[in-house]
Amino acid sequence: MGLKFSNFGKAIVSSAPGGTAGLSFTVEAGKGILFPVLGAGDYFYGIFKDVSGNREIVKVEARSADSLTIAAGGRGLDGTTPRTWAAGDYFVAGVTNAALQESLSNVNLIALGALATSADTLPYFTGTGTASLSGLSSFARTLLDDSDAAAARTTLGIPAAIAALIPQGTVMSFFQAAAPTGWTQVTTHNNKAVRIVSGAGGGSGGSVEFTTAFAPQAVTGWNSATTLTSAQIPSHTHNFSIYPTSGGGLVPSAGTAAGAAIPHTTSGGSGGGGSHNHIFTGTAINLTVQYIDMIIASKD
């Protein structure tokens, strides 16, 4: 967008602008193509002239085929005076002082022109109307002249196909809902934990699913049957009475009549010596650890 130029832009005027203020005119049929193609905001400087040597510089802002439109305020520029022109006069898209001064006053061109250039450097803009130089190695130049990504990969030594970077059959984990393009989800393993090993990987084992193992677990049960030893039970005795008899058997203490009980006598130990159990309960252990769902996929 801006100032435009063209080569060999010269044609005879078919219909001249009206008087000294007119802005529209046409050139001979088929000759409009010799003048610049103008987009929005584009313009070029042109010169009216006649056989007497009279000239007027104007600023043209639009062209449609052989019809041209002069910009408002674009008559009598660059030291010339608006004149009345007629069919048969000439219109030329020549290089004018106004065009040159405008081009040379461009702040970006001035910034580039002020750089002290040197070998293996590249100019670049650091802001509006300011520029600097950056190093440009011979290797960087071999990359800049590549026409497309494939050529750039060749220069950099990268395999032409990205698939070659990841061998087919490679299995990786992904934190996403589905396998990416070019991969197939592996469904052999499901609801399992990940174990890190120091030896060969790729194995699996265990029998309890992840969510089953890591669920609230009740603490309850029985202990094994236990037989108490004499040392483990409290020391105790049992009181009983002995009645002496005539003949053999126990001999009563002195002064004790036959048939009278002998007090303060204890028995030997009693009991069956069998085992017994104890039931136990406790607070449930909550093993519902937080987790994220991953998938594994194989490279196609």
Side-chain angles (χ1 to χ4, degrees):
M1 184 176 72
L3 178 60
K4 300 293 183 179
F5 296 91
S6 69
N7 293 320
F8 315 115
K10 180 180 180 180
I12 297 173
V13 175
S14 293
S15 61
T20 59
L23 300 178
S24 300
F25 68 99
T26 62
V27 296
E28 57 187 310
K31 293 297 181 71
I33 196 174
L34 299 175
F35 298 95
V37 175
L38 301 177
D42 291 338
Y43 59 93
F44 71 92
Y45 291 100
I47 307 167
F48 284 106
K49 67 177 182 177
D50 59 19
V51 295
S52 300
N54 297 308
R55 289 175 171 80
E56 179 190 352
I57 296 175
V58 298
K59 180 180 181 181
V60 177
E61 67 175 1
R63 180 180 71 80
S64 176
D66 301 323
S67 299
L68 296 91
T69 303
I70 300 171
R75 295 290 303 264
L77 303 178
D78 210 8
T80 63
T81 302
R83 299 177 61 87
T84 299
W85 302 97
D89 290 335
Y90 290 95
F91 183 71
V92 180
V95 177
T96 65
N97 176 68
L100 290 174
Q101 293 295 336
E102 189 173 315
S103 298
L104 295 175
S105 64
N106 185 292
V107 293
N108 292 324
L109 292 177
I110 293 173
L112 290 173
L115 296 175
T117 59
S118 59
D120 297 323
T121 57
L122 177 72
Y124 67 96
F125 291 104
T126 57
T128 303
T130 59
S132 185
L133 294 173
S134 176
L136 183 65
S137 66
S138 58
F139 171 77
R141 290 195 297 274
T142 64
L143 188 61
L144 290 175
D145 66 5
D146 290 338
S147 60
D148 52 34
R153 284 194 295 266
T154 300
T155 299
L156 295 172
I158 299 174
I162 297 300
L165 298 177
I166 304 177
Q168 185 178 17
T170 299
V171 178
M172 297 178 64
S173 60
F174 298 91
F175 181 46
Q176 57 194 62
T181 301
W183 295 73
T184 300
Q185 185 173 353
V186 177
T187 58
T188 304
H189 302 292
N190 177 56
N191 202 13
K192 297 181 178 181
V194 176
R195 186 177 71 165
I196 306 299
V197 297
S198 60
S204 63
S207 59
V208 181
E209 291 187 337
F210 180 91
T211 52
T212 300
F214 287 95
Q217 305 290 345
V219 179
T220 184
W222 295 80
N223 67 342
S224 60
T226 302
T227 300
L228 299 179
T229 66
S230 296
Q232 292 173 325
I233 62 176
S235 176
H236 65 284
T237 60
H238 297 277
N239 293 326
F240 67 97
S241 298
I242 297 175
Y243 294 85
T245 60
S246 59
L250 295 175
V251 178
S253 301
T256 302
I262 303 174
H264 308 304
T265 302
T266 60
S267 68
S270 64
S275 63
H276 65 284
N277 298 319
H278 294 279
I279 188 171
F280 64 90
T281 59
T283 303
I285 301 174
N286 190 352
L287 298 177
T288 54
V289 298
Q290 294 181 339
Y291 61 89
I292 59 173
D293 288 328
M294 306 285 290
I295 63 172
I296 56 177
S298 175
K299 185 70 175 68
D300 296 339

